[in-house]
Amino acid sequence: MTTPTSRRAVLAVAAGTAALAGCGSSDDKKSSAASGTPSPAETSPPVAAAPNTPTPSSAPTGSSAPAQGDVLAKTSDIPVGGGKVFAAKKVVVTQPEEGTFKAFSAICTHQGCTVKDVAGGTINCPCHGSKYRVADASVAAGPAPRPLPSERITVENGSIHLA
């Protein structure tokens, strides 16, 4: 005796088949023609790059990029005993004592939120209240399970560079 197939099982197989059909190569004209649904490659017009447009990985002609990475801030922008969050770069820079600069990931180790600010000697996450010490990014208050990972920076001529 066979068991009747449930509607849920049929729908699951149909959804899986549809998902796999979307994974086929664009060179497979038979499968898209047989299904009656054109593939994205068949319906999308070709995209041409604009002439003389530099790619994101190439520097514009005539520029002289510094040996270090991006300039994050001037050393005078980072308060002693505090720090500053650079959310766009996903990094936080601290100055635990005068002239000592440290950098850490700005992504909380609890659930991946970006830390919000540096105040009261801690780097603070707004999502669930985790706090990290400015000196070494160790956990001062949970629920964060581990410290923020260190990031590499260089300090040169009063500027802090992301390495």
Side-chain angles (χ1 to χ4, degrees), residues 9 19 22 35-36 46 51 58 72 78 87-88 91-92 102 106 128-129 136-137 145 147 156:
S35 70
S58 66
L72 290 173
I78 311 299
V91 68
V92 57
K102 299 194 175 193
H128 300 104
D136 59 4
E156 186 176 318

Side-chain angles (χ1 to χ4, degrees), residues 75 78 80 94-102 155:
T75 55
I78 311 299
V80 175
T94 65
Q95 185 177 188
E97 54 189 45
E98 191 168 350
T100 302
F101 297 91
K102 299 194 175 193
V155 180

